[in-house]
Amino acid sequence: QVQLQESGPGLVKPSQTLSLTCTVSGGSISSGGYYWSWIRQHPGKGLEWIGYIYYSGSTYYNPSLKSRVTISVDTSKNQFSLKLSSVTAADTAVYYCARARLARQAAGIVGMDVWGQGTTVTVSS
Amino acid sequence: QSALTQPASVSGSPGQSITISCTGTSSDVGGYNYVSWYQQHPGKAPKLMIYEVSNRPSGVPDRFSGSKSGNTASLTISGLQAEDEADYYCSSYTSSTVVFGGGTKLTVL
């Protein structure tokens, strides 16, 4: 059974870069058929999709965050990572990694069927 | 990329049925059969309840069902139970990206 686990600093200073890693266990990130995703949730608010990556390295980002986001994958470590630059207090949130299942012929995303437990990141000096 | 529109809250008594709507546009909900629904209890990660509009993952009770008409998708929970009290989010695929709804708080009276 595939499990995801986020890791990274819980406190980041304003203007710095937030860096998180998601470790995949119980399955290979290179098996195909899935996009590996990052989603965040501001305190007391709804879910916001940040972006996702295929094991080959293809990425798609939320247009509202695209200029500050980089998602990368390390297949040798079975991990994928998020970098969000120039953070402000508005980036304080719980960050989740999740597995998004591809539809047949990669026509779309069926749903996000496995989620990490989430990690809280606070942006403060 | 605008968030999908959901009612902020719905409520129902045990045993009753409720429906949560999720309204988008022809570019997202209306344009693809890739609408999914998530349940989130306080302090927990979201859980996939419905995918591809109306399919239930293994282990999700058949009290949960999904449908779509035009640009609006719906989640119906029948035979409400106390443990169904949670936040529910819809999501749609759209042009290589994903958009979520604002979320609906379900209260079981």
Side-chain angles (χ1 to χ4, degrees):
Chain A
Q1 184 166 345
V2 174
Q3 293 184 313
L4 307 181
Q5 178 67 59
E6 306 91 349
S7 59
L11 181 63
V12 182
K13 288 182 167 51
S15 80
Q16 293 190 341
T17 296
L18 178 161
S19 296
L20 296 174
T21 295
C22 183
T23 300
V24 180
S25 59
S28 173
I29 206 169
S30 303
S31 60
Y34 301 97
Y35 269 98
W36 302 93
S37 315
W38 287 98
I39 301 98
R40 70 180 181 179
Q41 186 169 34
H42 294 105
K45 302 297 183 182
L47 302 171
E48 179 181 29
W49 177 76
I50 298 172
Y52 45 42
I53 189 167
Y54 198 58
Y55 76 92
S56 62
S58 298
T59 53
Y60 295 95
Y61 300 132
N62 186 325
S64 68
L65 297 169
K66 188 174 183 177
S67 63
R68 298 194 293 129
V69 173
T70 301
I71 298 176
S72 58
V73 64
D74 186 337
T75 54
S76 67
K77 294 182 178 179
N78 226 27
Q79 296 175 334
F80 62 105
S81 298
L82 169 70
K83 290 189 185 301
L84 181 65
S85 64
S86 305
V87 297
T88 69
D91 295 308
T92 293
V94 175
Y95 287 75
Y96 294 99
C97 58
R99 185 179 78 170
R101 185 153 67 95
L102 274 170
R104 292 191 193 92
Q105 298 176 331
I109 295 297
V110 164
M112 298 184 191
D113 60 353
V114 181
W115 292 67
Q117 65 185 29
T119 188
T120 299
V121 178
T122 301
V123 179
S124 175
S125 55
Chain B
Q1 189 185 53
S2 299
L4 307 176
T5 300
Q6 299 180 232
S9 63
V10 298
S11 62
S13 299
Q16 288 186 332
S17 294
I18 63 95
T19 296
I20 299 172
S21 62
C22 170
T23 301
T25 68
S26 58
S27 297
D28 39 60
V29 174
Y32 302 90
N33 286 324
Y34 298 129
V35 175
S36 50
W37 289 89
Y38 302 86
Q39 176 191 66
Q40 186 180 35
H41 287 111
K44 300 295 186 181
K47 175 186 176 183
L48 180 66
M49 303 301 284
I50 296 287
Y51 67 95
E52 286 183 294
V53 176
S54 59
N55 294 310
R56 279 178 289 104
S58 174
V60 173
D62 59 7
R63 303 184 294 103
F64 291 84
S65 62
S67 62
K68 189 185 86 165
S69 177
N71 296 338
T72 298
S74 298
L75 172 70
T76 297
I77 309 173
S78 58
L80 267 180
Q81 298 183 3
E83 60 261 36
D84 298 334
E85 184 162 295
D87 293 325
Y88 291 85
Y89 296 91
C90 63
S91 176
S92 177
Y93 175 80
T94 168
S95 301
S96 301
T97 64
V98 168
V99 62
F100 284 98
T104 298
K105 181 176 181 57
L106 168 61
T107 300
V108 180
L109 302 171

